[in-house]
Amino acid sequence: MSAQENTSALETIVINTLKVPGVKVDRDSFLTAILSGKVSHEDVLHALEKGPIEAGISIDLLDKLAKSHIEKRTLQSTGMSFASGIPGGLAMAATIPADTLQFFGVALRLAQELAYLFGHKDMWGDQGIHSERVKSELIIFLGVMFGVAGAGSALRILSSKIAQQTLKKLPQKALTKTVYYPIVKKVATIIGVKITKNSFAKGLSKAIPLIGGVISGGMTYASMKPMGNRLRNELYVASNNYSFNDFKHDVENLKKEVIDVEPILEAEFEEILMANEEPTKQKLSPADEILKFKNLLDLGIITEEEFNQKKAEYLKM
């Protein structure tokens, strides 16, 4: 199966799983439920407006809540059957087995919940399940959960404040094609290397031994917990003092891990790299700043009074 076919197969599974009632997560309802009783009512309201981290809620508390929630979802997952709630039965899911829908239902729901807890904006809004951006983000989440190399770096890059302003300037179509698609293609290839639309479970068993014995009757404690914790850890790192050096490291790692990603990322992230490096290069010491204004004084560009004022300011630093 080609990379394009792998991507299409995984997208088909994701889309059909999202049609199952209960898989899509309402951000505000989830955050209200998990934060109520843990923080003040005012903090809950701020979290709904800005996100838990921007609202000033301790990241260590959020991490603790995430660990507890993973435990809860893991225990609930055994024996669950998302497929039973599909209108019209499995006919709408075509050839995707019920076990596959159940597995991805648990994983996709947990991924959304963890993302919202660590400050991710509402994924849905007026976006439908066919939105390229939403599909791409969810597949990257799955890549992290499955341990696909490069997926963690992609998640941290796309989640970081460092990249946000520049990425917002890109048209959505360009963003999907240049930033999301390379890693989405790799995730789909790794997860779906043996996928066929007729026999996903068999292929997944061969491709990823960790969950090979799990798909058949429900998820087990031993499989979903580590997957959830992989995602929790990456979201924590992306939200906890993620630095410019971390960003550069992740860009380099993504170039290394994802085939043909370098020429794509190079142009898109150049502005970010330059914007963050230039202030460091241009920053002068207080002594250098005083000397700069002394030269302006000697050239008659500023007055003695203006020079003394600037000198006093920099001597206080």
Side-chain angles (χ1 to χ4, degrees):
M1 186 180 288
S2 69
Q4 182 61 48
E5 288 173 326
N6 281 326
T7 303
S8 297
L10 185 57
E11 286 183 352
T12 298
I13 291 167
V14 169
I15 289 171
N16 278 284
T17 304
L18 289 169
K19 292 176 182 177
V20 178
V23 174
K24 283 177 63 176
V25 176
D26 182 279
R27 174 184 176 274
D28 289 359
S29 297
F30 169 71
L31 288 178
T32 299
I34 198 168
L35 293 175
S36 294
K38 306 298 189 302
V39 298
S40 69
H41 178 65
E42 185 179 56
D43 283 342
V44 172
L45 294 178
H46 287 159
L48 296 180
E49 180 185 356
K50 306 175 183 178
I53 293 175
E54 290 294 320
I57 297 174
S58 164
I59 191 168
D60 290 326
L61 172 60
L62 296 174
D63 194 46
K64 182 179 178 181
L65 292 174
K67 290 178 182 177
S68 176
H69 193 68
I70 291 169
E71 193 90 12
K72 174 184 174 183
R73 281 279 175 251
T74 299
L75 292 171
Q76 289 178 342
S77 67
T78 303
M80 290 178 68
S81 180
F82 282 92
S84 64
I86 300 179
L90 288 176
M92 69 170 288
T95 56
I96 302 173
D99 292 337
T100 302
L101 290 173
Q102 177 189 332
F103 174 81
F104 278 97
V106 174
L108 289 172
R109 181 174 180 83
L110 180 57
Q112 293 168 78
E113 291 169 337
L114 292 176
Y116 291 148
L117 194 53
F118 283 98
H120 202 290
K121 302 298 183 185
D122 185 8
M123 296 185 69
W124 303 104
D126 58 357
Q127 300 290 313
I129 59 177
H130 293 278
S131 162
E132 290 298 325
R133 178 186 63 80
V134 172
K135 283 189 295 185
S136 296
E137 289 183 359
L138 289 174
I139 289 174
I140 290 173
F141 288 156
L142 290 174
V144 174
M145 296 176 87
F146 277 91
V148 176
S153 292
L155 174 64
R156 290 190 296 272
I157 288 170
L158 293 167
S159 300
S160 72
K161 291 181 180 178
I162 293 170
Q164 287 305 305
Q165 289 305 115
T166 298
L167 294 179
K168 283 179 182 177
K169 296 175 185 177
L170 294 174
Q172 187 59 54
K173 198 168 185 180
L175 178 61
T176 300
K177 182 178 179 182
T178 60
V179 181
Y180 283 106
Y181 184 69
I183 188 63
V184 166
K185 182 170 66 173
K186 177 170 182 179
V187 169
T189 299
I190 298 297
I191 295 179
V193 66
K194 299 293 183 180
I195 289 180
T196 66
K197 292 185 179 180
N198 295 319
S199 183
F200 172 80
K202 180 179 177 182
L204 187 58
S205 177
K206 291 181 180 179
I208 308 173
L210 173 65
I211 61 174
V214 174
I215 303 178
S216 182
M219 301 307 303
T220 67
Y221 185 87
S223 62
M224 188 53 69
K225 185 174 181 179
M227 290 176 67
N229 278 321
R230 286 192 197 103
L231 181 57
R232 175 192 60 79
N233 182 65
E234 297 297 356
L235 290 167
Y236 179 90
V237 171
S239 305
N240 189 29
N241 299 318
Y242 184 79
S243 69
F244 177 57
N245 285 334
D246 294 328
F247 174 81
K248 289 199 294 185
H249 175 77
D250 280 328
V251 169
E252 291 305 315
N253 185 57
L254 198 57
K255 292 176 186 178
K256 180 179 71 174
E257 295 291 351
V258 183
I259 299 172
D260 296 333
V261 78
E262 183 169 354
I264 296 171
L265 282 180
E266 203 71 56
E268 305 302 345
F269 291 138
E270 182 178 359
E271 181 180 347
I272 304 172
L273 297 173
M274 291 179 64
N276 283 272
E277 285 181 336
E278 284 181 354
T280 302
K281 292 177 182 178
Q282 294 177 354
K283 188 174 181 179
L284 300 176
S285 68
D288 289 333
E289 291 286 0
I290 293 172
L291 181 59
K292 181 180 73 175
F293 283 102
K294 179 63 167 64
N295 290 334
L296 294 176
L297 173 65
D298 293 341
L299 291 170
I301 296 174
I302 62 174
T303 65
E304 181 82 20
E305 182 180 354
E306 290 171 331
F307 168 72
N308 289 333
Q309 182 180 352
K310 288 294 182 180
K311 179 179 178 182
E313 289 176 7
Y314 284 106
L315 287 175
K316 290 179 181 178
M317 292 184 176

